[in-house]
């Protein structure tokens, strides 16, 4: 029997590539997305399309409301999504988002007997979010072991981060070699009502430059 894995699937190119890697490595994949009140809800539709197109065994969208306290341009309409990057942790950082998401992934993983979790975090071409760094992932894996049945049953969680040290171009090249259809993905933090990408936010800029550097045609539909 194939080993089971939970794959965090945001609908973006990184998480789609992560799903392809997990499948390449022989895992039976269960995909998990989050409706957390984000302004870019079109990513949820992208996640559903990706899960179906890529043959996930089961796809779940977990609903939680991080707009209750906001604190991010993605969960508070009073905070504008900035154009481009900038110094320090950007306002598009959602407080403790990956900590929350990984915690819920371990909960579903315990139920499924899936002790492997894939997440598309990156420390090269990224926006500087603290919950994307290798130190956080390692610390979480140990916390999850101590806080679940793993500590008594003598097993551990494997948190796979296959994109951790890749550039955006390398991620796109990897995904292209694994037949990922990037036209199904969306990365924009500030899309319009039709789901078209703004082409100006940090995520759009990193994505578009990645396609240029990879020598792969960018299939993204931009507003202009």
């Amino acid at each position: 029997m194939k080993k089971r894995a939970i794959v965090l699937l945001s609908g973006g190119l990184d998480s789609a590539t992560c799903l392809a890697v997990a499948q390449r490595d022989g895992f039976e994949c269960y995909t998990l997305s989050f409706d957390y009140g984000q302004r870019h809800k079109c990513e949820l539709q992208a996640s559903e399309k990706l899960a179906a197109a890529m043959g996930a065994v089961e796809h779940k969208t977990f609903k939680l409301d991080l707009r209750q306290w906001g604190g991010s341009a993605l969960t508070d309409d009073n905070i504008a999504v900035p154009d481009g990057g900038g110094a320090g942790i950007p306002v598009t950082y959602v407080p403790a988002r990956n900590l929350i998401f990984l915690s819920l992934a371990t909960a579903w993983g315990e139920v499924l007997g899936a002790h492997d979790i894939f997440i598309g975090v990156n420390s090269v071409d990224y926006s500087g979010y603290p919950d994307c760094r290798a130190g956080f992932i390692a610390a979480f894996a140990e916390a999850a072991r101590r806080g679940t049945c793993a500590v008594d049953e003598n097993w551990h969680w494997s948190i796979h981060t296959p994109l951790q040290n890749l550039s955006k171009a390398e991620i796109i090249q990897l995904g292209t070699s694994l037949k990922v259809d990037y036209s199904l993905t969306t990365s924009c933090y500030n899309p319009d009502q039709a789901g078209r990408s703004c082409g100006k936010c940090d995520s759009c800029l990193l994505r578009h430059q990645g396609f240029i550097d990879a020598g792969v045609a960018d299939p993204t539909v931009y507003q202009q």
Side-chain angles (χ1 to χ4, degrees), residues 6-62:
I6 307 293
V7 180
L8 298 186
L9 190 64
S10 71
L13 71 83
D14 290 346
S15 66
T17 306
C18 215
L19 173 56
V21 169
Q23 292 174 324
R24 178 201 67 188
D25 292 348
F27 286 94
E28 189 176 69
C29 295
Y30 294 74
T31 52
L32 180 60
S33 300
F34 295 91
D35 180 355
Y36 60 92
Q38 64 270 49
R39 68 167 71 217
H40 52 309
K41 279 187 178 291
C42 59
E43 71 174 8
L44 298 174
Q45 296 174 327
S47 295
E48 291 179 2
K49 291 177 181 177
L50 284 164
M54 299 179 70
V57 177
E58 185 176 359
H59 177 72
K60 286 186 179 294
T61 298
F62 193 99

Side-chain angles (χ1 to χ4, degrees), residues 128-199:
Y129 300 160
D131 58 356
C132 287
R133 299 170 189 159
F136 160 69
I137 297 297
F140 178 84
E142 176 57 16
R145 185 188 71 83
R146 291 176 179 270
T148 62
C149 291
V151 71
D152 289 333
E153 296 175 356
N154 198 31
W155 52 271
H156 67 277
W157 292 96
S158 295
I159 312 297
H160 301 262
T161 59
L163 314 183
Q164 186 77 67
N165 299 308
L166 300 182
S167 68
K168 193 66 72 179
E170 290 171 329
I171 292 169
I172 291 168
Q173 289 169 341
L174 172 60
T176 299
S177 73
L178 296 175
K179 310 301 183 185
V180 175
D181 183 355
Y182 286 124
S183 71
L184 298 178
T185 68
T186 180
S187 302
C188 183
Y189 291 150
N190 196 27
D192 64 13
Q193 291 186 341
R196 296 178 302 177
S197 299
C198 72

Side-chain angles (χ1 to χ4, degrees), residues 99-150:
L99 178 60
I100 295 167
F101 290 178
L102 283 170
S103 295
L104 290 166
T106 58
W108 193 23
E110 272 202 290
V111 173
L112 291 175
H115 304 160
D116 293 84
I117 298 173
F118 283 76
I119 182 171
V121 294
N122 179 266
S123 297
V124 182
D125 288 340
Y126 79 127
S127 299
Y129 300 160
D131 58 356
C132 287
R133 299 170 189 159
F136 160 69
I137 297 297
F140 178 84
E142 176 57 16
R145 185 188 71 83
R146 291 176 179 270
T148 62
C149 291

